[in-house]
Amino acid sequence: MDAQTRNAFKEGLADAGGFVIGSLAGWQLGRLLGLDFFAAPDAFGWREMAGLALIALGAGVGKLVARRLIAPPPPPST
């Protein structure tokens, strides 16, 4: 496997892992705050929409953190 393919594979795994872990963290935060998106399957009130927003925010932050973790270190300044 060449370096470009390996780098793309590593970025894809980081994106997927960060997305899943972040969205699960957002869901748990929503449950902790009483904003569970999956609590009432028949109703979509403000609590469920706020829970969904936390899930989406967690997914985005998780992806961002995962990308930063695999980023190469910056070159040393002289």
Side-chain angles (χ1 to χ4, degrees):
M1 187 183 315
D2 65 338
Q4 186 177 11
T5 305
R6 183 176 295 125
N7 190 31
F9 184 70
K10 192 164 72 169
E11 284 181 8
L13 283 178
D15 284 351
F19 184 84
V20 170
I21 291 170
S23 57
L24 287 173
W27 175 51
Q28 289 300 318
L29 179 63
R31 288 185 61 197
L32 182 69
L33 297 173
L35 305 172
D36 191 3
F37 177 67
F38 299 108
D42 296 336
F44 288 106
W46 72 270
R47 288 186 181 276
E48 289 80 18
M49 292 298 109
L52 180 61
L54 284 174
I55 292 170
L57 182 66
V61 170
K63 181 181 172 187
L64 180 70
V65 168
R67 276 284 181 107
R68 294 245 172 125
L69 287 175
I70 67 161
S77 58
T78 56

